[in-house]
Amino acid sequence: QGPPAGGAASSFGRVTPDLATAGRGYTMAALVKGEQPLIAVTARLREATELVNGVSVQKFPILLTRIIAKLHLRNEHIFSEAEQEQLCGLFALSTSQLTTVLESCSYILEQAAYHTIHPNALKQLLEDAGMDEEHAQAVSTVWADEATEFVGRLKEHTMSGPKALLDSQYRLHLMMGESNLTRLKEPSALFEFKLGRPEAGPQGQNTDKEDVVVEFSHSELYDLFQQLEHVQEQLDSLS
């Protein structure tokens, strides 16, 4: 079987673009001098771009459109075994080479969604990774056309099926010092998160509940709030 739809293989890295805001608020950060590239240019990715450059540039957009149409479906394969055999013959690729091409395209589109990369910036990033201009433009064009709908599908089908937050509670935890009861150690906050899948059981009954207790120091809680504010900014850009 080929790579499962909805994700690039571990050799290219994993992301969770269900939090992405593609189609609006694109960032050009990767092109700013001194910033880390939004798509890591690894030896594996360079190998993949060389293979992509050999794919028919006329047929490449069709391949990309099929991938992005099914990338959100975690438990399905983008192409059946029979279709993969046809693609191998069509593009003169071995099975492993085709897998590399499919995985790399999935990875690139996932990263574009997660980082909300502008189509023009995506084209430049791909050219920097070794993809020729025609193929990079094909990816950019498909991304520009499909980004908004793609992220909409990601929002409806969260990646890896994470549990939902059903409820939360918190309390302060104050530890007394051993030698001096009048002196308090650094206070912490205890959060209890109730997780579950409302759709897991019959008639929507939750049959997969889990309680998670997490303790945060003052600095850890501050860092968490900073991250949540960044997430909120991304979500606000969708409204």
Side-chain angles (χ1 to χ4, degrees):
Q1 293 283 344
S10 58
S11 56
F12 287 95
R14 304 291 306 178
V15 296
T16 54
D18 49 300
L19 296 180
T21 57
R24 299 181 60 179
Y26 291 118
T27 179
M28 298 286 286
L31 300 184
V32 177
K33 184 177 180 180
E35 294 225 2
Q36 183 178 0
L38 299 180
I39 296 180
V41 181
T42 62
R44 175 72 166 164
L45 183 59
R46 289 193 181 279
E47 174 191 351
T49 57
E50 291 180 5
L51 293 172
V52 168
N53 290 342
V55 171
S56 167
V57 74
Q58 288 77 28
K59 296 182 174 62
F60 188 47
I62 301 174
L63 184 73
L64 290 170
T65 301
R66 173 68 175 272
I67 291 173
I68 201 170
K70 302 190 70 174
L71 195 54
H72 64 290
L73 301 175
R74 303 300 297 170
N75 298 319
E76 294 185 19
H77 294 278
I78 297 174
F79 296 99
S80 66
E81 290 186 2
E83 288 174 327
Q84 290 186 52
E85 290 180 4
Q86 294 176 357
L87 290 173
C88 285
L90 181 64
F91 298 136
L93 297 171
S94 67
T95 301
S96 63
Q97 288 175 330
L98 176 65
T99 298
T100 298
V101 169
L102 297 180
E103 289 174 353
S104 65
C105 291
S106 297
Y107 170 71
I108 289 166
L109 293 170
E110 286 181 338
Q111 290 291 320
Y114 183 70
H115 294 292
T116 64
I117 304 176
H118 189 281
N120 292 340
L122 180 60
K123 178 177 180 290
Q124 183 62 59
L125 288 168
L126 295 179
E127 289 180 359
D128 291 344
M131 191 175 293
D132 64 42
E133 183 178 2
E134 288 183 323
H135 286 84
Q137 181 61 56
V139 177
S140 174
T141 300
V142 170
W143 177 240
D145 292 341
E146 303 290 339
T148 302
E149 291 188 11
F150 175 47
V151 173
R153 292 192 294 269
L154 287 177
K155 290 171 63 181
E156 295 176 359
H157 298 79
T158 54
M159 301 189 72
S160 303
K163 294 180 180 179
L165 178 63
L166 304 178
D167 192 16
S168 64
Q169 297 179 354
Y170 77 93
R171 69 177 185 273
L172 295 180
H173 187 206
L174 303 176
M175 285 287 292
M176 296 291 186
E178 294 181 0
S179 59
N180 188 348
L181 293 180
T182 63
R183 180 182 303 172
L184 292 177
K185 290 186 176 180
E186 182 180 1
S188 60
L190 292 176
F191 283 82
E192 180 180 3
F193 300 112
K194 296 184 180 296
L195 310 178
R197 296 188 177 91
E199 75 285 358
Q203 290 81 45
Q205 296 177 359
N206 195 316
T207 59
D208 193 13
K209 292 183 179 180
E210 178 183 4
D211 292 343
V212 177
V213 178
V214 184
E215 183 175 6
F216 295 95
S217 66
H218 181 274
S219 61
E220 291 170 338
L221 193 58
Y222 180 79
D223 290 341
L224 175 63
F225 284 154
Q226 291 288 97
Q227 294 180 50
L228 290 176
E229 285 187 2
H230 179 65
V231 172
Q232 184 65 55
E233 290 174 359
Q234 289 188 312
L235 294 175
D236 287 343
S237 69
L238 289 174
S239 60

